[in-house]
Amino acid sequence: MKFKEVIGIDVSKFTLDACIHGLQIFIQVPNTKQGYRKLLSQAAKNTSCPIEQVLFCFEHTGMYSFVLASFLSEKQISYILIPGLEIKRSLGIQRGKNDQIDAKKIAQYAYRRRDEVTLYKLPEKSINKIRQLLSLRERLIKQRAGFEASLKDQGDFIDISENKLLFYIPQKLIKELGTQIASIERAIDLVLEENPGIMSNYSLITSIPGIGRQTALHLIVITNNFLLFENHRKLASYAGVAPFPYTSGISIRGKTKVSSMANKKLKSLLSACAVSAIKNDPELKTYFKRRNEKGINKMNTINAVRNKLLSRVFAVVRRGTPYVTL
């Protein structure tokens, strides 16, 4: 679609600051559904084209932008969600910062790329529910690990018989956190059972040796059940496991390496999967041993295995049949 106007939006917890690119008009509304309706009304009033030819653009700010994205999806309004770092790097050196300036930058960025953008599609409710449950699970696991670590340290230096409360309360909290984490896992299972399409891909992914439950769930959430990425190479780039050359002219001849820009959580999960696959998959075990005997760097091989696993994931999902070990 040819977009004639662009509106950049800086999203914060309580307000939306919008900039209509063509006329450089600034609008501020509350970050509520009433505010969204007012924003659409102002946009229609201050643009000379139909609302269908207006592109809205805003940063991905988690829960603060999710409700806005849901509202625009319901109204079938065209919009894109982009990382803040992408905007920052695309506009070069900038001086000064406030919400209006940020809205203007976002509008400038979207206007330049209006003919090549891919419109954002909000994931289905089940995917969002799994995402939220996984996020809560991760927070609880970190809290439990913190209590376990402090409990261990206390046990090395403090006499339990004289300080029973210092040990009783953390132990009780650790137990309760474990109970709540288990309830989250059951809630995720219910979502999977209610959605055959998601459950099918989950079963296919976990049929691959080395890939476990958490990695499969994160892959489903990140890819919107494999609708967002065309192939494993694009997902590998997003996860930070795709190697890129580092050369320029004849003077710079750096090693081919992965980028620091990555989804760190997914990269970490894939690393654990690669180590597990090397231990349990005969084919990858032989592959690792052969490269090791050639003197190839261990991390280089682990990264190659991470890419092989992603390739297998896309293969079983596209084929619709479980992985078969040769």
Side-chain angles (χ1 to χ4, degrees), residues 96-304:
K97 176 178 171 61
N98 60 42
D99 293 339
Q100 282 195 357
I101 290 175
D102 289 344
K104 183 178 179 180
K105 288 179 185 177
I106 294 169
Q108 287 174 347
Y109 169 86
Y111 187 78
R112 291 175 185 175
R113 300 194 57 191
R114 67 192 185 280
D115 295 327
E116 57 187 57
V117 296
T118 301
L119 298 180
Y120 187 82
K121 289 185 179 179
L122 198 68
E124 61 178 282
K125 290 182 179 179
S126 300
I127 297 290
N128 273 321
K129 191 170 183 179
I130 294 174
R131 185 197 304 275
Q132 290 163 355
L133 288 169
L134 287 175
S135 177
L136 177 58
R137 178 184 180 276
E138 188 172 353
R139 291 200 301 273
L140 295 184
I141 284 177
K142 285 180 179 177
Q143 290 177 12
R144 184 176 65 178
F147 282 119
E148 288 172 341
S150 64
L151 201 60
K152 184 178 181 303
D153 288 342
Q154 287 176 182
D156 293 336
F157 297 100
I158 299 175
D159 187 347
I160 298 177
S161 61
E162 296 180 2
N163 299 276
K164 290 183 180 179
L165 200 60
L166 290 177
F167 291 86
Y168 171 74
I169 292 176
Q171 286 170 346
K172 192 172 182 180
L173 288 170
I174 289 167
K175 186 178 179 180
E176 179 59 26
L177 286 168
T179 302
Q180 297 307 322
I181 290 167
S183 69
I184 290 172
E185 295 289 3
R186 289 193 295 273
I188 292 173
D189 286 337
L190 283 175
V191 177
L192 293 175
E193 290 168 11
E194 292 168 359
N195 295 270
I198 299 174
M199 185 62 175
S200 173
N201 282 341
Y202 172 79
S203 301
L204 291 170
I205 298 168
T206 50
S207 71
I208 301 169
I211 296 187
R213 175 183 173 85
Q214 297 307 315
T215 305
L217 290 171
H218 276 83
L219 283 169
I220 287 169
V221 166
I222 287 167
T223 64
N224 190 17
N225 204 20
F226 295 88
L227 295 176
L228 291 182
F229 294 87
E230 295 175 10
N231 52 57
H232 80 277
R233 293 181 185 85
K234 290 189 176 182
L235 182 56
S237 178
Y238 172 79
V241 300
F244 292 95
Y246 186 72
T247 63
S248 180
I250 60 173
S251 59
I252 298 177
R253 285 289 183 271
K255 292 182 179 179
T256 298
K257 55 187 178 181
V258 297
S259 171
S260 60
M261 290 188 290
N263 183 312
K264 299 297 195 316
K265 177 63 179 179
L266 180 57
K267 187 174 183 178
S268 173
L269 287 169
L270 288 173
S271 295
C273 290
V275 172
S276 176
I278 289 167
K279 289 180 180 178
N280 300 296
D281 185 313
E283 181 186 346
L284 293 177
K285 191 173 186 178
T286 303
Y287 174 76
F288 180 82
K289 185 178 179 182
R290 185 172 65 247
R291 285 173 65 97
N292 192 45
E293 288 171 351
K294 290 180 180 179
I296 297 174
N297 182 274
K298 180 181 176 182
M299 283 308 301
N300 186 301
T301 304
I302 287 176
N303 192 64

Side-chain angles (χ1 to χ4, degrees), residues 300-316:
N300 186 301
T301 304
I302 287 176
N303 192 64
V305 172
R306 291 189 293 202
N307 280 278
K308 282 179 177 290
L309 290 176
L310 284 180
S311 177
R312 290 178 178 182
V313 166
F314 270 79
V316 298

